[in-house]
Every structure is written in structure tokens, then in C-alpha cells.
Amino acid sequence: PPTLMSAAWFAGLLAVAWIAHFIARRILLAVVDRVTERTKVTWDDTLRDQHFFRHLASTAPLLVIYFGTYLVPDVIPSLDDLIHRVTLAALIIVLSLLMGRSPVFFLSGLGALMAVLLLIFRTTILSLVASIQIATNDMVRVGDWISMPQFGADGDVLDIALHTVKVQNWDKTIT
């Protein structure tokens, strides 16, 4: 049955996640420790002493589970969604440990960053949405005749780009 097959895939996925955890914690951390001891710079020693690499290694099994669930056949969509949400939550906690801050601080910082990016790229985002609407609704095509006196456009459409629509007016000027 599909449910038994999915359970077997999940068991295999958990085994691969455990192997990734073992490799990241035992082997990679040992290599990183040896490399940081041999370098002359001190910033890597500070990261090691603050357990940065250990926390970073904790993301390996989470990433295996997060991306591995896409490979599991016949998975129940609600279970797939739950697994992705839980692994993302654990990933946010690990990242907050790496930053040495509360997860609330981390998430509010991401929210503030998104607000700033939306303000900066507002025109580009609106242009992208408008371009998608124009293309999807087939409103204007190259070669169509349009007339928009407020923009000085009265002629054939030459090009449709993200921010602009290039029009060759009846008097051969380009708007």
C-alpha cells in the first residue's frame, strides 16, 4: 500500500538525516577544529569557541529532512506541510542560536528587512505585477496601436519591458 511505502521512505529519510548529523558533528567538526587551530587568523578561533560551527552542523539533518520529503512518494499533503513547517521552525531556532539572539528578534529583523525591501523595490514589484497582468490578459502586444495622450504615446508598440512600453508614434518619434 502507498502508506506503507511512504513510511518506509520516511524511515530511510530519517536514517539519512541521522547519517548527515553524524558526519556533520563527528567528522566535519573535527576537520574544522583542526583547520582553525592551524590558521594564523583569530576570527575562526572565536567562531569555534562560540560553538558557531557546532550550531551550524545542527542544520544538516534539518536540511536533509526538509528537502528529502520532496522525494517521498504518495505522502499525505497535510503531513508534508507539517514536516516542512516543523523543520523550518527548528532551522529558525538554529539560526537564532548562531546569531546569539532570540528567535523573536530574528523573525522581527526579517520582517523589518522585508518591509525595507518592499519600500525600495515597490516600483519594480508593481511593474512586474503589471507586466504579468498585461501578458496574462493579452492586453497589449508588439505591433498594436495604442493612444495615451497623457504620456505622448500615439502609435505602434515596439517593445514591452518590465518598466516600459516603447511606442513609435505616428510621426516616427519614440515614446
Side-chain angles (χ1 to χ4, degrees):
T3 312
L4 185 60
M5 180 67 102
S6 296
W9 274 88
F10 274 120
L13 185 61
L14 289 175
V16 171
W18 183 82
I19 292 169
H21 174 72
F22 178 79
I23 291 172
R25 285 293 200 140
R26 303 290 179 171
I27 298 170
L28 291 179
L29 281 180
V31 170
V32 168
D33 282 342
R34 278 191 232 118
V35 169
T36 56
E37 289 172 359
R38 292 182 182 167
T39 60
K40 296 187 188 304
V41 294
T42 59
W43 62 267
D44 58 352
D45 296 329
T46 305
L47 289 175
R48 185 191 64 221
D49 294 340
Q50 296 295 320
H51 306 291
F52 175 82
F53 299 115
R54 182 174 297 156
H55 292 307
L56 191 61
S58 300
T59 62
L62 295 174
L63 293 173
V64 167
I65 291 172
Y66 183 81
F67 291 110
T69 55
Y70 291 114
L71 303 174
V72 176
D74 300 324
V75 66
I76 301 168
S78 59
L79 178 63
D80 188 46
D81 187 46
L82 176 68
I83 291 170
H84 284 122
R85 288 176 187 256
V86 168
T87 54
L88 280 178
L91 190 63
I92 288 171
I93 291 170
V94 170
L95 290 175
S96 67
L97 287 172
L98 285 173
M99 293 175 48
R101 300 286 186 173
S102 161
V104 174
F105 178 80
F106 181 69
L107 292 174
S108 63
L110 282 177
L113 178 67
M114 287 305 297
V116 169
L117 287 176
L118 284 174
L119 286 174
I120 292 173
F121 295 109
R122 179 179 178 267
T123 306
T124 303
I125 293 169
L126 289 175
S127 297
L128 177 66
V129 171
S131 295
I132 291 171
Q133 286 178 338
I134 288 172
T136 303
N137 296 329
D138 201 23
M139 298 168 116
V140 176
R141 293 184 189 165
V142 173
D144 285 353
W145 183 280
I146 62 171
S147 178
M148 297 186 76
Q150 65 268 31
F151 296 110
D154 188 18
D156 291 322
V157 175
L158 295 179
D159 184 36
I160 301 172
L162 181 62
H163 290 283
T164 59
V165 174
K166 193 182 290 185
V167 176
Q168 182 178 12
N169 294 323
W170 58 271
D171 60 355
K172 303 296 183 196
T173 59
I174 304 290
T175 304

